[in-house]
Amino acid sequence: YRSYFPQGFSLIFWLEESHASITTHTWPEANYAMVDYYSCSKEPRVDQFCAVLAKHFDIVDKTIVSR
């Protein structure tokens, strides 16, 4: 976790057992956040992950990129 002055933060969260990580960067002054979800699973359940984010945050626009 790293916070920035006067606002914003970056956060990396990884799950050792499930081989997944989540990286988040925020730009509150632009009302923008970027969330990267990485998984080595054959079926990473991206739709479920996005549904959880949408439930807890007021998401206006989203872009999903799979690689």
Side-chain angles (χ1 to χ4, degrees):
Y1 177 83
R2 166 140 176 146
S3 61
Y4 295 94
F5 181 82
Q7 56 196 0
F9 69 89
S10 293
L11 172 72
I12 299 173
F13 180 77
W14 65 91
L15 303 172
E16 182 177 351
E17 295 299 320
S18 65
H19 305 285
S21 70
I22 301 166
T23 305
T24 306
H25 304 284
T26 65
W27 292 268
E29 67 278 7
N31 198 30
Y32 182 81
M34 179 173 43
V35 178
D36 298 317
Y37 171 72
Y38 300 96
S39 174
C40 62
S41 172
K42 292 180 182 180
E43 296 180 26
R45 301 179 183 175
V46 174
D47 292 337
Q48 289 179 350
F49 180 73
C50 289
V52 169
L53 290 178
K55 180 179 177 181
H56 296 286
F57 299 98
D58 185 19
I59 298 174
V60 176
D61 187 21
K62 69 179 178 181
T63 302
I64 299 174
V65 177
S66 296
R67 296 185 183 153

